[in-house]
Amino acid sequence: MTVEFISVGTEILLGNIVNTNAAYLSEKCAALGLSCYYQCVVGDNEERLAECLQAAVKRSDFVILSGGLGPTQDDLTKETAAQVMGRKLVMDKHSKDRIKKYFDKLGKEIPDNNWKQAMVPEGGIAIDNDNGTAPGIIIEDGNIHVILLPGPPNELIPMFEKDIIPYIRQFVPGTIYSQTVKICGIGESKAESMVRDLIDGQENPTIAPYAKTGEVHLRVTARAENVKEAKKLLKPMVKELKSRFGACIYSTEDDVTLERAVAELLVANKLTVSCAESCTGGMLAARLINVPGISEVFKSGYITYSNKAKRRILGVKKATLEKFGAVSAATASEMAKGVAVLSKADVSVSITGLAGPDGGTEEKPVGLVYIACKVKGNVTVEEFRFTGNRNKIRESSTAAALGLMRRCVLEYYSKVTFGNGTGEQGRK
């Protein structure tokens, strides 16, 4: 069965807000076993919205519209849907009562235009909104299901989870279940080449690679009668991926980020950590501090952007800077050693590089970054050559530092296999 999304709102077209609803709905509907071939964004214009909806109901089983259910004149989704589906609007007493209770609870008078939100296309199913005044609406016409949802994510998401998912499940045979294998330390092209034979021969389950900054995610998806059977189909494929990529896989859980995996590794081994950053300007420390519980092990972070700061705070030798420059393996090494001495941390990481857009030379181009990691007495320094704009280089450097930190800790404590690749983005 197919699903189509129509996001309503001129503010989306103008770029005033990011359309996160479409991404959320796409992921959830794919997990429900629905195939999506079309998505569209349309402004608050009745004629254009009607054109989009008329096309959608001709080719999709489920059409989900988000936004345009508010009380103002430019909120036209419900009215347009009623027109396209040949329904008149009628007052829904249950929705009217809920709107009254909502405002009574706030101790406010109800603006007259809010009663507009209690109007529902005749024969439609009103869906309670526990986080706002605009109810959701389901309009059924034979095998076509038009679902209207409020635009604010804090209203749309709870409504979809509570009421729309169970509704859709009634009509979709079987289920689709996915598991994500998350990899760091290997670039996208290398990772894809390592699973090309699996992709070429895939049927059920399937593998889809997704590149993130400094990471590669392999989404393994199976279709089956139920989740239990789908998990059985996934198990051999995930096992094969673990065999191929070894310790480059940092998680197979959707909610585990790279920084969380690193933080949990540090906590599990009771290793304290400190950072010394130049071109990333605190990004590494910020990502680590995003993880709840990191206070058990995170000691300090230093932004030593200038040569003077590198010398004065971290003890980088003047001779090192003069001979090799701030962007060099030698400087990265001394930065990591210096912050370890300064903070007495078990693990120290340093980043120094050229984020651009200016300052690059033929010998040291923009994107050249050195990252050092010291675990107890062992120091590892690696060179990276990243591409992209200034922010992309900084983000790539941060992700690479997390990956290097994880690898160095694992290698310190045990012999592990890190896949068959040569590494991430030009590692030397």
Side-chain angles (χ1 to χ4, degrees), residues 17-312:
I17 63 170
V18 177
N19 189 8
T20 57
N21 287 341
Y24 167 81
L25 292 169
S26 296
E27 182 178 10
K28 292 298 180 180
C29 287
L32 287 167
L34 296 174
S35 299
C36 178
Y37 302 125
Y38 300 95
Q39 294 187 16
C40 109
V41 179
V42 62
D44 301 303
N45 179 279
E46 186 174 5
E47 183 179 348
R48 288 189 285 272
L49 175 55
E51 289 176 2
C52 292
L53 184 53
Q54 286 164 356
V57 296
K58 290 177 181 177
R59 63 193 178 199
S60 300
D61 302 300
F62 291 87
V63 181
I64 301 178
L65 298 92
S66 59
L69 297 182
T72 61
Q73 285 188 339
D74 64 346
D75 290 307
L76 300 166
T77 300
K78 178 170 47 183
E79 291 77 7
T80 306
Q83 173 198 328
V84 171
M85 303 304 290
R87 312 289 178 92
K88 64 180 182 179
L89 288 172
V90 296
M91 179 64 70
D92 181 69
K93 185 178 184 304
H94 175 73
S95 297
K96 183 178 180 180
D97 290 342
R98 283 182 61 86
I99 291 172
K100 184 178 185 303
K101 288 178 183 178
Y102 181 90
F103 279 96
D104 287 345
K105 189 176 180 180
L106 295 176
K108 295 182 178 180
E109 289 189 16
I110 306 172
D112 288 340
N113 58 359
N114 270 97
W115 294 124
K116 169 179 181 265
Q117 294 179 298
M119 301 295 287
V120 175
E122 192 171 26
I125 304 167
I127 306 298
D128 290 344
N129 185 344
D130 296 327
N131 299 282
T133 56
I137 299 168
I138 298 173
I139 307 172
E140 298 175 326
D141 187 1
N143 294 324
I144 306 300
H145 312 266
V146 177
I147 301 171
L148 313 183
L149 299 174
N154 66 331
E155 298 179 31
L156 179 146
I157 292 173
M159 185 183 292
F160 193 84
E161 300 275 350
K162 178 175 177 288
D163 295 295
I164 305 305
I165 288 177
Y167 173 79
I168 292 175
R169 278 189 176 140
Q170 302 174 76
F171 306 97
V172 182
T175 188
I176 289 180
Y177 183 82
S178 297
Q179 187 171 3
T180 303
V181 177
K182 299 182 178 183
I183 300 163
C184 64
I186 293 180
E188 180 187 11
S189 58
K190 183 63 181 179
E192 187 174 1
S193 70
M194 292 171 65
V195 294
R196 174 48 58 190
D197 60 314
L198 299 177
I199 294 174
D200 290 342
Q202 65 187 0
E203 291 182 2
N204 187 25
T206 61
I207 300 176
Y210 298 94
K212 293 175 66 70
T213 301
E215 304 177 39
V216 179
H217 291 183
L218 299 176
R219 193 164 186 82
V220 188
T221 304
R223 184 186 293 271
E225 290 185 7
N226 52 58
V227 172
K228 184 178 180 181
E229 290 300 316
K231 285 182 177 180
K232 282 184 181 179
L233 290 172
L234 290 184
K235 193 173 181 180
M237 183 65 76
V238 173
K239 184 178 179 181
E240 176 62 23
L241 293 175
K242 287 180 177 179
S243 173
R244 297 190 184 198
F245 289 98
C248 287
I249 296 174
Y250 71 82
S251 181
T252 57
E253 301 294 330
D254 283 342
D255 61 344
V256 176
T257 60
L258 179 55
E259 55 264 36
R260 176 177 161 184
V262 172
E264 289 177 349
L265 181 64
L266 294 171
V267 171
N269 289 285
K270 298 180 180 178
L271 296 171
T272 56
V273 63
S274 289
C275 309
E277 303 180 60
S278 184
C279 63
T280 46
M283 278 186 167
L284 175 59
R287 280 188 65 171
L288 286 170
I289 290 170
N290 275 340
V291 182
I294 194 66
S295 57
E296 290 184 37
V297 295
F298 188 86
K299 298 195 76 172
S300 55
Y302 297 88
I303 302 172
T304 53
Y305 204 70
S306 67
N307 285 359
K308 184 178 179 181
K310 291 178 178 66
R311 290 177 56 198
R312 182 172 57 83

